[in-house]
Amino acid sequence: MAWAVLFSGISTSALAQPVSIQDQQQWLLEQVRIGEALYRDDLVRDSLARLWLIAPNNPQALAASVRQALLDKNPDLAKQRLAHLQQLAPDSLALRQAQNLMKLQDPQAQKQLQQARLYAAAGRPEEAAAIFEQLFGNAPPDFATALEYLRIRSNIPGQRPRAIEQLKALDVQYPGNISLRQTLADLLFREKRNAEALAVLHQLSSDPNASGPAAEREYEYLSTLPIDRSTTLAWQEYLQRYPRSPVLNEATQKLKVQQQLLADPAWVAGTRGKQMIDRSQNPVAAEALLRRALKHYPEDPSLYGALGLSLFRQGRYDAAYTAFTAAHSKEQDTSFISRWQDLMDATRYQLLLAQGDKALERKDFNAARDAFQQARKAKPQDADPLIGLADLAVAQNNAPQAEALLLQARRLEPTNTSAVRGLMRLYSAQSPDKAKSFLDGLPPSLQKEFTAERRRLEVNELNRLADAASERKDWPQVVALLSKVRNLTPDEPWLTYRLANAQR
């Protein structure tokens, strides 16, 4: 994967007493990365300030200073540093990363990133990863974005081993990040590489950048793991490794509780359901398991959230919204509350679109208009509500309004195939020549998607000319025209019969 460029092996073993200017630069750059990994803003600021004194033209330092300027809400300084970097290293990875950071200040890029996150939450990691790659290419702008991308890729079938190796490389470059190592350990457990996962846990517990005794740190980490057989094993080894831990009683109690839960069929069903959702497996089967678990654990927000995702993937947006609302109301962990809110918003948007489509099917035009307009207010930069309103205009025989809405949708999303298809239907009804002209004006990539539409237009035109020739009894012309039709649609039996008659 091209993103591995970010994870190439840059050593993070800090030099205790850097002597040369080059050693000092390397050491300070490592301190910047350590500060970013540990969210130590003071370490980043101090290291960048010292770098600026001894190496104001270092590309990596300039890229880091662009990040810091944006964090400090100083876009003018960020632009100055970016311009300096562009002059200094026009073909560098550092420049591409800095440019991608600036790109994220654009509302359209933010919208694409949000869409990627929604795809990831909805169990569509391939589409989410594709948006990340479209936005950033081989130059993820910062550590957090690279980590988020690798988490997404780990959910794509067959990609987990590669993601693990890239996470290991990222950990070398940005040492000490607890979230990264938690992710890495979890993926290793999922790959049944328990020994490696436990080694990561031990690394967490002995991390010199982490605060508190090693036993307490490992206790805190183990407390965040999902309850399963691997976690129980980790707790057992923890008790053996730290017999004098100050939290020994709490750890013993946690092990006992987990063993009891793992013996409970309802809890196991909920765990299996959540795993199926995480792995984008059968949402109907996952729903049954999650509902079984909720009968015994009705206050668990994670079960409601997983249930919401299973329903969302089935297109049952009304029920999904109810489940996400329950997860949001019961959640105590602030890091998850915003996730449930985002999923509630995304589900309500899809629900409004679905309500509009259903109202249109039953010819309840007022209800359809209200639903599509509400969806448009929720996401004014999305094309789908405009396409829904265009369908409504078509149903009310208002072709000019439908065309205007579809053109507006294309301005928002030029490659939206639903908008193009809607315009094709309108233009085909008006004039085949107008439809062909519209097709000819599409980008080549879109024209390929509408090959069948072009063939249909050609077949209709040839049939029209053949009908006219038949009325004139110009049978040679009929045969020539129908032969062309047959080349385009060789499997049409009625056409073969008609051609045979004309030849006779």
Coordinates of all heavy atoms in Angstrom, one line a residue, residues 139-207:
A139 N 0.4 10.3 1.2 CA 0.9 11.3 2.2 C -0.1 11.7 3.2 O -0.7 12.8 3.2 CB 1.4 12.5 1.5
P140 N -0.5 10.8 4.2 CA -1.4 11.1 5.2 C -0.9 12.3 6.0 O 0.3 12.4 6.3 CB -1.5 9.9 6.1 CG -0.3 9.1 5.8 CD 0.0 9.4 4.3
P141 N -1.7 13.3 6.3 CA -1.2 14.6 6.8 C -0.6 14.5 8.2 O 0.2 15.4 8.5 CB -2.4 15.5 6.7 CG -3.6 14.6 6.8 CD -3.2 13.3 6.1
D142 N -1.0 13.6 9.0 CA -0.5 13.6 10.4 C -0.7 12.2 11.0 O -1.3 11.3 10.4 CB -1.3 14.6 11.3 CG -2.8 14.5 11.2 OD1 -3.3 13.4 10.8 OD2 -3.5 15.5 11.6
F143 N -0.2 12.0 12.2 CA -0.2 10.7 12.9 C -1.7 10.3 13.1 O -2.0 9.1 12.8 CB 0.5 10.9 14.2 CG 0.2 9.7 15.2 CD1 0.8 8.5 15.0 CD2 -0.7 9.9 16.3 CE1 0.5 7.5 15.8 CE2 -0.9 8.9 17.1 CZ -0.3 7.6 16.9
A144 N -2.6 11.1 13.6 CA -3.9 10.7 13.9 C -4.7 10.2 12.6 O -5.4 9.2 12.7 CB -4.7 11.9 14.5
T145 N -4.5 10.9 11.5 CA -5.1 10.4 10.2 C -4.6 9.1 9.8 O -5.3 8.2 9.3 CB -4.9 11.5 9.1 OG1 -5.3 12.8 9.6 CG2 -5.7 11.2 7.9
A146 N -3.3 8.9 9.9 CA -2.7 7.6 9.5 C -3.2 6.5 10.4 O -3.5 5.4 9.9 CB -1.1 7.7 9.7
L147 N -3.4 6.7 11.7 CA -3.9 5.7 12.6 C -5.3 5.4 12.3 O -5.7 4.2 12.2 CB -3.7 6.2 14.1 CG -4.3 5.3 15.1 CD1 -3.7 3.9 15.1 CD2 -4.1 5.9 16.5
E148 N -6.1 6.4 12.0 CA -7.5 6.2 11.7 C -7.7 5.4 10.4 O -8.5 4.5 10.3 CB -8.2 7.6 11.5 CG -9.7 7.5 11.2 CD -10.4 8.8 11.1 OE1 -9.7 9.9 11.0 OE2 -11.6 8.9 11.1
Y149 N -6.8 5.7 9.4 CA -6.9 5.0 8.1 C -6.5 3.5 8.3 O -7.2 2.6 7.8 CB -5.9 5.6 7.2 CG -5.6 4.9 5.9 CD1 -6.5 4.8 4.9 CD2 -4.4 4.1 5.7 CE1 -6.3 4.1 3.7 CE2 -4.2 3.4 4.6 CZ -5.1 3.4 3.6 OH -4.9 2.7 2.4
L150 N -5.5 3.2 9.1 CA -5.1 1.9 9.3 C -6.2 1.1 10.1 O -6.4 -0.1 9.9 CB -3.8 1.8 10.1 CG -2.5 2.2 9.2 CD1 -1.3 2.1 10.1 CD2 -2.4 1.3 8.0
R151 N -6.8 1.7 11.0 CA -8.0 1.1 11.7 C -9.0 0.7 10.7 O -9.6 -0.4 10.8 CB -8.6 2.0 12.8 CG -7.7 2.1 14.0 CD -8.3 3.2 14.9 NE -7.7 3.1 16.3 CZ -7.7 4.1 17.1 NH1 -8.3 5.3 16.8 NH2 -7.1 4.0 18.3
I152 N -9.3 1.5 9.8 CA -10.3 1.2 8.7 C -9.8 0.1 7.9 O -10.6 -0.9 7.6 CB -10.6 2.5 7.9 CG1 -11.4 3.5 8.7 CG2 -11.4 2.1 6.6 CD1 -11.5 4.9 8.1
R153 N -8.6 0.1 7.4 CA -8.1 -0.9 6.5 C -8.1 -2.3 7.2 O -8.2 -3.3 6.6 CB -6.7 -0.6 6.1 CG -6.6 0.5 5.0 CD -5.4 0.3 4.1 NE -5.5 -0.9 3.3 CZ -6.2 -1.0 2.2 NH1 -6.8 0.1 1.7 NH2 -6.2 -2.1 1.5
S154 N -7.9 -2.3 8.5 CA -7.9 -3.6 9.3 C -9.2 -4.3 9.2 O -9.3 -5.5 9.5 CB -7.5 -3.3 10.7 OG -8.5 -2.7 11.4
N155 N -10.3 -3.6 8.9 CA -11.6 -4.2 8.8 C -11.9 -4.7 7.3 O -13.0 -5.2 7.1 CB -12.7 -3.2 9.2 CG -12.7 -3.0 10.7 OD1 -12.6 -4.0 11.5 ND2 -12.7 -1.8 11.2
I156 N -11.0 -4.4 6.4 CA -11.2 -4.9 5.0 C -10.7 -6.4 5.0 O -9.6 -6.7 5.5 CB -10.5 -4.1 4.0 CG1 -11.0 -2.6 4.0 CG2 -10.6 -4.7 2.6 CD1 -10.2 -1.7 3.1
P157 N -11.6 -7.3 4.5 CA -11.1 -8.7 4.4 C -9.8 -8.9 3.8 O -9.5 -8.4 2.7 CB -12.2 -9.4 3.6 CG -13.4 -8.5 3.8 CD -12.9 -7.1 3.9
G158 N -8.9 -9.6 4.5 CA -7.6 -9.9 4.0 C -6.5 -8.8 4.3 O -5.3 -9.0 4.0
Q159 N -7.0 -7.7 4.8 CA -6.0 -6.5 5.0 C -5.5 -6.5 6.4 O -4.5 -5.7 6.7 CB -6.8 -5.2 4.7 CG -7.1 -5.1 3.2 CD -5.9 -4.8 2.4 OE1 -5.0 -4.1 2.8 NE2 -5.9 -5.5 1.2
R160 N -6.0 -7.3 7.4 CA -5.6 -7.1 8.8 C -4.1 -7.4 9.0 O -3.4 -6.6 9.6 CB -6.4 -8.0 9.7 CG -6.3 -7.6 11.2 CD -7.0 -8.6 12.0 NE -8.4 -8.5 11.7 CZ -9.3 -9.6 11.8 NH1 -8.8 -10.7 12.2 NH2 -10.5 -9.5 11.5
P161 N -3.5 -8.4 8.4 CA -2.1 -8.6 8.6 C -1.2 -7.5 8.1 O -0.2 -7.1 8.8 CB -1.8 -9.9 7.8 CG -3.1 -10.7 7.8 CD -4.1 -9.6 7.7
R162 N -1.6 -6.9 7.0 CA -0.8 -5.8 6.4 C -1.0 -4.6 7.3 O 0.0 -3.8 7.6 CB -1.3 -5.5 5.0 CG -0.7 -4.2 4.4 CD 0.7 -4.4 4.1 NE 1.2 -3.3 3.3 CZ 2.5 -3.0 3.2 NH1 3.4 -3.7 3.9 NH2 2.9 -2.0 2.5
A163 N -2.2 -4.4 7.8 CA -2.5 -3.2 8.7 C -1.6 -3.4 10.0 O -1.1 -2.4 10.6 CB -3.9 -3.1 9.1
I164 N -1.5 -4.6 10.5 CA -0.7 -4.8 11.7 C 0.7 -4.4 11.5 O 1.3 -3.8 12.3 CB -0.8 -6.3 12.1 CG1 -2.2 -6.6 12.7 CG2 0.3 -6.7 13.1 CD1 -2.5 -8.1 13.0
E165 N 1.3 -4.8 10.4 CA 2.7 -4.5 10.1 C 2.9 -3.0 10.0 O 3.9 -2.4 10.4 CB 3.2 -5.2 8.8 CG 3.2 -6.7 8.9 CD 3.9 -7.2 10.2 OE1 5.0 -6.7 10.4 OE2 3.3 -8.0 10.9
Q166 N 1.9 -2.3 9.4 CA 2.0 -0.9 9.2 C 1.8 -0.2 10.6 O 2.4 0.9 10.8 CB 1.0 -0.4 8.2 CG 1.3 -0.8 6.8 CD 0.4 -0.3 5.7 OE1 -0.8 0.0 6.0 NE2 0.8 -0.2 4.5
L167 N 1.0 -0.7 11.4 CA 0.8 -0.1 12.8 C 2.1 -0.3 13.6 O 2.5 0.6 14.3 CB -0.4 -0.8 13.5 CG -1.8 -0.3 13.1 CD1 -2.8 -1.3 13.7 CD2 -2.0 1.1 13.7
K168 N 2.8 -1.4 13.4 CA 4.0 -1.6 14.1 C 5.1 -0.6 13.6 O 5.8 0.0 14.4 CB 4.6 -3.0 13.8 CG 3.8 -4.1 14.5 CD 4.5 -5.5 14.2 CE 3.8 -6.6 14.9 NZ 4.4 -7.9 14.6
A169 N 5.1 -0.3 12.3 CA 6.0 0.7 11.8 C 5.6 2.1 12.3 O 6.5 2.9 12.6 CB 6.0 0.6 10.2
L170 N 4.3 2.3 12.3 CA 3.9 3.7 12.8 C 4.3 3.8 14.3 O 4.6 4.9 14.7 CB 2.4 3.8 12.6 CG 1.8 5.2 12.9 CD1 2.3 6.2 11.9 CD2 0.2 5.1 12.8
D171 N 4.2 2.7 15.1 CA 4.6 2.8 16.5 C 6.1 3.1 16.6 O 6.5 3.7 17.6 CB 4.2 1.5 17.1 CG 4.5 1.5 18.6 OD1 4.1 2.5 19.3 OD2 5.0 0.5 19.1
V172 N 6.9 2.6 15.7 CA 8.3 2.9 15.8 C 8.5 4.4 15.5 O 9.4 5.0 16.2 CB 9.1 2.0 14.7 CG1 10.5 2.5 14.6 CG2 9.0 0.6 15.1
Q173 N 7.8 4.9 14.5 CA 8.0 6.3 14.2 C 7.4 7.3 15.2 O 7.9 8.3 15.5 CB 7.4 6.6 12.8 CG 7.8 7.9 12.2 CD 7.3 8.1 10.8 OE1 6.6 7.2 10.2 NE2 7.7 9.2 10.2
Y174 N 6.2 6.9 15.8 CA 5.5 7.7 16.8 C 5.4 6.9 18.0 O 4.3 6.4 18.3 CB 4.2 8.2 16.2 CG 4.3 9.2 15.1 CD1 4.4 8.7 13.8 CD2 4.2 10.5 15.4 CE1 4.4 9.7 12.7 CE2 4.3 11.5 14.3 CZ 4.4 11.0 13.0 OH 4.5 11.9 12.0
P175 N 6.4 6.7 18.8 CA 6.4 5.8 20.0 C 5.5 6.3 21.1 O 5.5 7.5 21.4 CB 7.8 5.7 20.4 CG 8.4 7.0 20.0 CD 7.7 7.4 18.7
G176 N 4.9 5.4 21.8 CA 4.2 5.7 23.1 C 2.8 6.0 23.0 O 2.1 6.3 24.0
N177 N 2.1 6.0 21.8 CA 0.7 6.3 21.7 C -0.1 5.2 22.3 O -0.1 4.1 21.7 CB 0.3 6.7 20.3 CG -1.1 7.1 20.2 OD1 -2.0 6.3 20.0 ND2 -1.4 8.4 20.4
I178 N -0.9 5.4 23.3 CA -1.6 4.3 23.9 C -2.7 3.8 23.0 O -2.9 2.6 22.9 CB -2.3 4.9 25.2 CG1 -1.2 5.5 26.2 CG2 -3.0 3.7 25.9 CD1 -0.1 4.6 26.5
S179 N -3.4 4.7 22.3 CA -4.5 4.3 21.4 C -4.0 3.3 20.3 O -4.6 2.3 19.9 CB -5.2 5.5 20.8 OG -6.2 5.1 20.0
L180 N -2.8 3.7 19.7 CA -2.2 2.9 18.7 C -1.9 1.5 19.2 O -2.2 0.5 18.6 CB -0.9 3.5 18.1 CG -0.2 2.9 17.0 CD1 0.6 3.9 16.2 CD2 0.7 1.7 17.4
R181 N -1.3 1.4 20.4 CA -0.9 0.1 20.9 C -2.1 -0.7 21.3 O -2.1 -1.9 21.2 CB 0.1 0.3 22.1 CG 1.4 0.8 21.5 CD 2.5 1.1 22.6 NE 3.7 1.5 22.0 CZ 4.8 1.9 22.7 NH1 4.7 2.0 24.0 NH2 5.9 2.3 22.1
Q182 N -3.2 0.0 21.8 CA -4.4 -0.7 22.1 C -5.0 -1.4 20.8 O -5.4 -2.5 20.8 CB -5.4 0.2 22.7 CG -5.1 0.6 24.1 CD -6.1 1.6 24.7 OE1 -6.7 2.3 23.9 NE2 -6.2 1.7 26.0
T183 N -5.0 -0.6 19.7 CA -5.5 -1.1 18.5 C -4.6 -2.3 18.0 O -5.1 -3.3 17.5 CB -5.4 0.0 17.4 OG1 -6.3 1.1 17.8 CG2 -5.9 -0.5 16.0
L184 N -3.3 -2.1 18.1 CA -2.4 -3.2 17.6 C -2.6 -4.4 18.4 O -2.7 -5.5 17.9 CB -1.0 -2.7 17.8 CG 0.1 -3.7 17.4 CD1 -0.1 -4.1 15.9 CD2 1.5 -3.0 17.6
A185 N -2.8 -4.3 19.7 CA -3.0 -5.5 20.6 C -4.3 -6.2 20.2 O -4.4 -7.4 20.1 CB -3.0 -5.1 22.0
D186 N -5.3 -5.4 20.0 CA -6.7 -5.9 19.6 C -6.6 -6.7 18.3 O -7.1 -7.8 18.2 CB -7.7 -4.8 19.6 CG -9.1 -5.3 19.2 OD1 -9.6 -6.1 19.9 OD2 -9.6 -4.8 18.1
L187 N -5.9 -6.1 17.3 CA -5.8 -6.8 16.0 C -5.0 -8.1 16.2 O -5.3 -9.1 15.5 CB -5.2 -5.8 15.0 CG -6.0 -4.6 14.6 CD1 -5.2 -3.8 13.6 CD2 -7.3 -5.0 14.0
L188 N -4.0 -8.0 17.0 CA -3.2 -9.3 17.2 C -4.0 -10.3 17.8 O -3.9 -11.5 17.5 CB -1.9 -8.9 18.0 CG -0.9 -8.1 17.3 CD1 0.2 -7.6 18.2 CD2 -0.2 -9.0 16.2
F189 N -4.8 -10.0 18.8 CA -5.7 -10.9 19.4 C -6.7 -11.5 18.4 O -6.9 -12.7 18.4 CB -6.5 -10.3 20.6 CG -5.8 -10.3 21.9 CD1 -5.6 -9.1 22.6 CD2 -5.2 -11.5 22.4 CE1 -4.9 -9.1 23.8 CE2 -4.5 -11.5 23.6 CZ -4.4 -10.3 24.3
R190 N -7.2 -10.6 17.5 CA -8.2 -11.1 16.5 C -7.5 -12.0 15.5 O -8.2 -12.9 14.9 CB -8.8 -9.9 15.8 CG -9.8 -9.2 16.7 CD -10.2 -7.8 16.2 NE -10.8 -7.9 14.9 CZ -11.2 -6.8 14.2 NH1 -10.9 -5.6 14.7 NH2 -11.7 -6.9 13.0
E191 N -6.2 -11.9 15.3 CA -5.5 -12.8 14.4 C -4.9 -14.0 15.2 O -4.2 -14.8 14.6 CB -4.3 -12.0 13.8 CG -4.7 -11.1 12.7 CD -5.1 -11.8 11.4 OE1 -4.3 -12.4 10.8 OE2 -6.3 -11.7 11.1
K192 N -5.4 -14.2 16.4 CA -4.9 -15.3 17.3 C -3.4 -15.3 17.5 O -2.8 -16.3 17.8 CB -5.3 -16.6 16.7 CG -6.8 -16.7 16.2 CD -7.7 -16.5 17.4 CE -9.2 -16.7 17.0 NZ -10.1 -16.3 18.1
R193 N -2.8 -14.1 17.5 CA -1.4 -13.9 17.7 C -1.3 -13.4 19.2 O -0.8 -12.3 19.4 CB -0.7 -13.0 16.7 CG -0.7 -13.6 15.3 CD -0.6 -12.6 14.2 NE 0.6 -11.8 14.2 CZ 1.0 -11.0 13.3 NH1 0.2 -10.7 12.3 NH2 2.2 -10.3 13.4
N194 N -1.7 -14.3 20.1 CA -1.8 -13.9 21.5 C -0.5 -13.5 22.1 O -0.4 -12.5 22.9 CB -2.5 -14.9 22.3 CG -4.0 -15.2 21.9 OD1 -4.5 -14.3 21.2 ND2 -4.5 -16.3 22.3
A195 N 0.5 -14.2 21.8 CA 1.8 -13.9 22.4 C 2.3 -12.5 22.0 O 2.8 -11.8 22.9 CB 2.9 -15.0 22.0
E196 N 2.1 -12.2 20.8 CA 2.5 -10.8 20.3 C 1.6 -9.8 21.0 O 2.1 -8.7 21.3 CB 2.4 -10.7 18.8 CG 3.4 -11.6 18.0 CD 3.2 -11.4 16.5 OE1 3.5 -10.4 16.0 OE2 2.7 -12.4 15.9
A197 N 0.3 -10.1 21.1 CA -0.6 -9.1 21.7 C -0.2 -8.8 23.2 O -0.2 -7.7 23.6 CB -2.0 -9.6 21.6
L198 N 0.1 -9.9 23.9 CA 0.5 -9.7 25.3 C 1.9 -9.0 25.4 O 2.1 -8.2 26.3 CB 0.7 -11.1 25.9 CG -0.7 -11.8 26.2 CD1 -0.5 -13.2 26.6 CD2 -1.5 -11.0 27.2
A199 N 2.8 -9.2 24.4 CA 4.0 -8.4 24.4 C 3.7 -6.9 24.2 O 4.4 -6.1 24.8 CB 4.9 -8.9 23.2
V200 N 2.7 -6.6 23.4 CA 2.3 -5.2 23.3 C 1.8 -4.7 24.6 O 2.1 -3.5 25.0 CB 1.3 -5.0 22.2 CG1 0.8 -3.6 22.1 CG2 1.9 -5.4 20.8
L201 N 1.0 -5.5 25.3 CA 0.5 -5.1 26.6 C 1.7 -4.8 27.6 O 1.7 -3.8 28.3 CB -0.4 -6.2 27.2 CG -1.7 -6.5 26.5 CD1 -2.5 -7.5 27.3 CD2 -2.5 -5.3 26.2
H202 N 2.7 -5.7 27.6 CA 3.8 -5.5 28.4 C 4.6 -4.2 28.1 O 5.1 -3.5 28.9 CB 4.8 -6.7 28.4 CG 4.1 -8.0 28.7 ND1 4.6 -9.2 28.4 CD2 2.9 -8.2 29.4 CE1 3.8 -10.2 28.8 NE2 2.7 -9.6 29.4
Q203 N 4.7 -4.0 26.8 CA 5.3 -2.8 26.3 C 4.6 -1.5 26.8 O 5.2 -0.5 27.2 CB 5.4 -2.7 24.8 CG 6.1 -1.6 24.2 CD 6.1 -1.6 22.7 OE1 5.1 -2.0 22.1 NE2 7.2 -1.1 22.0
L204 N 3.2 -1.6 26.8 CA 2.4 -0.5 27.4 C 2.8 -0.3 28.8 O 2.9 0.8 29.3 CB 1.0 -0.8 27.2 CG 0.2 -0.4 25.9 CD1 -1.1 -1.0 25.9 CD2 0.1 1.1 25.9
S205 N 2.8 -1.4 29.6 CA 3.0 -1.3 31.0 C 4.4 -0.8 31.4 O 4.5 -0.1 32.4 CB 2.8 -2.7 31.7 OG 3.8 -3.6 31.3
S206 N 5.4 -1.0 30.5 CA 6.8 -0.5 30.8 C 7.1 0.7 30.0 O 8.3 1.1 30.0 CB 7.8 -1.7 30.5 OG 7.7 -2.1 29.2
D207 N 6.2 1.3 29.3 CA 6.5 2.5 28.5 C 7.0 3.6 29.3 O 6.4 4.1 30.2 CB 5.2 2.9 27.8 CG 5.4 3.9 26.7 OD1 6.4 4.6 26.8 OD2 4.6 4.0 25.8

